[in-house]
Each structure stands twice: as structure tokens, then as C-alpha cells.
Amino acid sequence: MTIKRKDIIIQLIDYVNDYNKSVGSEYMASVNAKKNIRIKDVAEKANVSTATVSHVINGTRYVSKEVAERVVEVMKELDYRPNSAARSLRSTKTNTIGFLIPVKKDDTSKSFFMSIAEGIEANLNSKGYNLILSNSKEDMQEEIKRIKMFNTQLVDGLILAPTNDDFNHIQEVLDNQFPLVMIDRLPINYDGDFVLVDNFQGTYDGVTKLVASGYKKIGFISSELGITTTNERFDGYKKALKDNHIQFNDTFVELGRSSFESGYELTEKLIAKKIDALFIANNIMTMGSVKCIQDNGLQMPNDIAVIGYDNYDWTKITTPPLSVVNQPAFDIGFKAAECILDRINNKNKKKANHIKLKAELKVRKSI
């Protein structure tokens, strides 16, 4: 029975994934060197030639299924890291793109990133490319492990929604020849290709609409500042107040964890301060906020007007339906795929693709 090249690749990927669960800061090649594990050792233990091991790793010639599986098993036993082989395989072009997202277990942003993935796939599939999805779970160390995995996993490029706030941490483990496109947020020290949404403009439009609707005591709830998305939304809030001649009041601003519970608690604090409107810059916190408003017997918009961030299905079925800032998730993905393919096909291109898409305020009955 002929074993297909992709079957061996899958086995190698499984092996590398197992490795990444325990890998420290050392590179694979240096690990091999320290343990003095060579391709010759793999060949001897598997009772094959070094050429056969190379063919299994690189998929350059037919190897029987039995022999190929034996070689992969010996690589596992000896803890041999096929790093250079993975780069060699990547150089042959696999027509596969990686996509790394930062979604926690209970995070409602899953649907946002899935819409982005749909946009990526719609573009990639029309060009003969495939997509591999992975999740950093909003954990910086997990993100590094996943990037290491993609470095060895035979993909032609990576689309990344980063968790690390400093690109230097990412660059330390990133293959220098690895095309990369950032989406959703930017770490500092990164000036490469990216596709973002204009978070400043989206928030500015929302707060300006609240002012135009007659509200003056406008509260603001967000996760902690530090990443570009939250920073830009906070800046948009402050600038909208200033441009509409409303004094900024820091007691109307509450920052906390990105969670339902935090959204609930922070809303309770602001209700006690007699605000008449609320802008929540985070979807899962918006859910907690709406629940708090309901539990306090308040009605939107008579007692308090509300605008949330992101246009999830649940926002359409609240009573009343919730006004939101809509991010064009599908378009983010489609444009990101366009950027990564452009970089793959134009490796010597110096100018980076910097794309910012417009957010859209969807006004419903909550204001």
C-alpha cells in the first residue's frame, strides 16, 4: 500500500505537537545538538538508510507505509526534532495557511473569530489554499508554543490575532522567512502586514450618537487597557466627549476583567452614580451589563441607554434589541487572506500592507 506524503506530514505534525506541550525556550535544532541525536541514529535504530529517513521526513520519494511509520516511531523514541526537515518541506510550498486566535473557554468572541475564519477560507479556497486553525486561549506562553508548532507544521504563512503585547516576544520564536499578518490587535514593535478595524472611530460614532440623542452622563466599561483595541476604544470615548463639549469624568469609567461577572459588577457601580447612558467596549462584559440593568429593574432606553461592542445574534433578541458597534469580521478575514497571499507571492516586497476597516454603528431600540 502506498503511503501518501500528507499522511506522513500528519504523523510528523502530531509528533511536533506532542513536543510543543513540553518544550522550553530552546530551539529544536539546539535540543538535537545537546542530546547528540542525528539522523544517522534514527536510521540505525529503524534499520533503514539515512536516505530513507530523509525521504520519510521530506516526502521526496516513495516509502512503504510500514517503514515510514517505523521511522516516525523511532524519531519519537529518540526525541529527534525534524526542524530543518520541516523548513525544507515548507520551502516546497504546502498551500496551507495557519490562523491563531486568542479565545478563552467561556469567551463569546468565538463567533467573531469564526466569522473571520470564514472570510479567510472564502479567499484562500478560491486560490487553492487550505486553513489550519489553532487557539492560544489568550495565554502568552500558549501563544509562543502554538507559533513554534506552526513554525514546524508545514504552513506557508500565519495569520495571528496576538496575545503577547510586545512583538519581540513573538519574534524570538518566529521563523524569519515566515510570512505573517496580524489581525484585530497589534503588539508594540510590530510594523509588518496587518488588517484591523478602526476601533477609535467605532467608539467615537457610538458615543457621539448618545450625545446627539440627549444623553450627558455617559459611562464607559471596558477590559483593562494595554492592548490596541481597548486603548483605541477608550481614546474614542474621550475624544467624542470632548468634541461634543462634555467634560470627561473619570468616575464614569470602569475597567476590569473581560468577563460576564465583571460587566455585571462594574455596571452596578455606574448605576449607583446615576449615569443616563452606557457604552460597553467588550461583548462579554456587555452581556453582564445588560443582565445587571434588568436585575435592577431598569429599562432601556427610558432609564439608561446602552451601546455594546460587536453584533452578536443575542444582541438582536434582547428587550429592547441592543444598539451595537459592528465589526466587519468576514471582511477582516478576507482581507487578511489577501495580505498573506500577497506576501507569499511577493516575498521581496518592502512596503507592508496596513489596512484599517470601518466599524458600523447599528442603532436599535436601546438608545
Side-chain angles (χ1 to χ4, degrees), residues 5-18:
R5 178 169 178 263
K6 74 173 184 178
D7 295 330
I8 291 299
I9 290 175
I10 289 171
Q11 291 182 55
L12 288 173
I13 287 172
D14 289 341
Y15 168 46
V16 172
N17 284 345
D18 290 341

Side-chain angles (χ1 to χ4, degrees), residues 3 31 44-45 47 88 105 109 143 168 171 210 213 219 237 270 280 290-291 304 332 341:
I3 184 166
V31 174
E44 288 178 355
K45 188 167 180 63
N47 197 27
S88 173
K105 182 180 178 182
S109 65
E143 178 175 78
N168 290 335
Q171 199 166 30
L210 288 171
S213 300
Y237 165 75
L270 289 178
I280 310 123
V290 170
K291 175 63 172 167
I304 185 169
I332 294 171
L341 294 179

Side-chain angles (χ1 to χ4, degrees), residues 126-326:
S126 68
K127 309 293 194 309
Y129 278 76
N130 297 308
L131 184 68
I132 294 178
L133 178 66
S134 189
N135 184 15
S136 69
K137 301 173 186 175
E138 198 73 87
D139 181 283
M140 290 189 290
Q141 291 306 312
E142 188 67 27
E143 178 175 78
I144 295 302
K145 290 180 183 180
R146 298 289 172 174
I147 291 172
K148 287 179 179 178
M149 177 190 73
F150 278 120
N151 273 340
T152 61
Q153 206 180 50
L154 320 177
V155 295
D156 296 336
L158 176 63
I159 297 171
L160 172 64
T163 293
N164 277 276
D165 58 5
D166 189 335
F167 183 61
N168 290 335
H169 300 150
I170 297 171
Q171 199 166 30
E172 287 175 1
V173 295
L174 195 66
D175 187 322
N176 290 331
Q177 302 303 314
F178 201 78
L180 175 69
V181 173
M182 294 280 185
I183 64 162
D184 188 52
R185 53 179 88 154
L186 287 183
I188 60 173
N189 299 315
Y190 177 77
D191 60 0
D193 297 327
F194 65 71
V195 178
L196 305 176
V197 173
D198 193 338
N199 290 284
F200 177 94
Q201 165 261 317
T203 306
Y204 183 94
D205 290 352
V207 175
T208 297
K209 177 63 178 177
L210 288 171
V211 175
S213 300
Y215 302 100
K216 305 297 181 186
K217 299 170 69 176
I218 302 169
F220 180 86
I221 287 177
S222 172
S223 55
E224 296 288 351
L225 301 178
I227 61 174
T228 53
T229 48
T230 53
N231 292 349
E232 289 172 3
R233 291 171 193 178
F234 185 48
D235 289 343
Y237 165 75
K238 290 188 294 183
K239 187 66 164 62
L241 293 179
K242 181 179 179 180
D243 288 354
N244 287 281
H245 312 292
I246 293 179
Q247 177 107 16
F248 171 73
N249 185 340
D250 61 2
T251 66
F252 288 173
V253 175
E254 293 289 348
L255 307 176
R257 291 177 299 106
S258 178
S259 68
F260 180 97
E261 293 77 15
S262 180
Y264 191 105
E265 292 165 5
L266 299 183
T267 301
E268 208 153 39
K269 289 182 180 180
L270 289 178
I271 287 173
K273 295 173 184 176
K274 307 298 182 183
I275 61 169
D276 58 11
L278 182 57
F279 187 98
I280 310 123
N282 173 299
N283 178 69
I284 194 167
M285 297 178 87
T286 303
M287 295 177 70
S289 181
V290 170
K291 175 63 172 167
C292 177
I293 289 168
Q294 293 171 340
D295 286 353
N296 278 272
L298 302 177
Q299 291 186 340
M300 299 181 290
N302 296 337
D303 299 311
I304 185 169
V306 177
I307 296 180
Y309 220 96
D310 284 324
N311 188 30
Y312 292 108
D313 287 340
W314 73 267
T315 64
K316 304 170 189 175
I317 60 173
T318 57
T319 304
L322 197 65
S323 299
V324 294
V325 176
N326 179 58

Side-chain angles (χ1 to χ4, degrees), residues 84-104:
S84 60
R87 283 200 302 268
S88 173
L89 275 167
R90 187 190 301 128
S91 70
T92 64
K93 200 171 182 184
T94 63
N95 281 29
T96 302
I97 301 299
F99 180 31
L100 182 54
I101 62 176
V103 179
K104 295 179 181 178

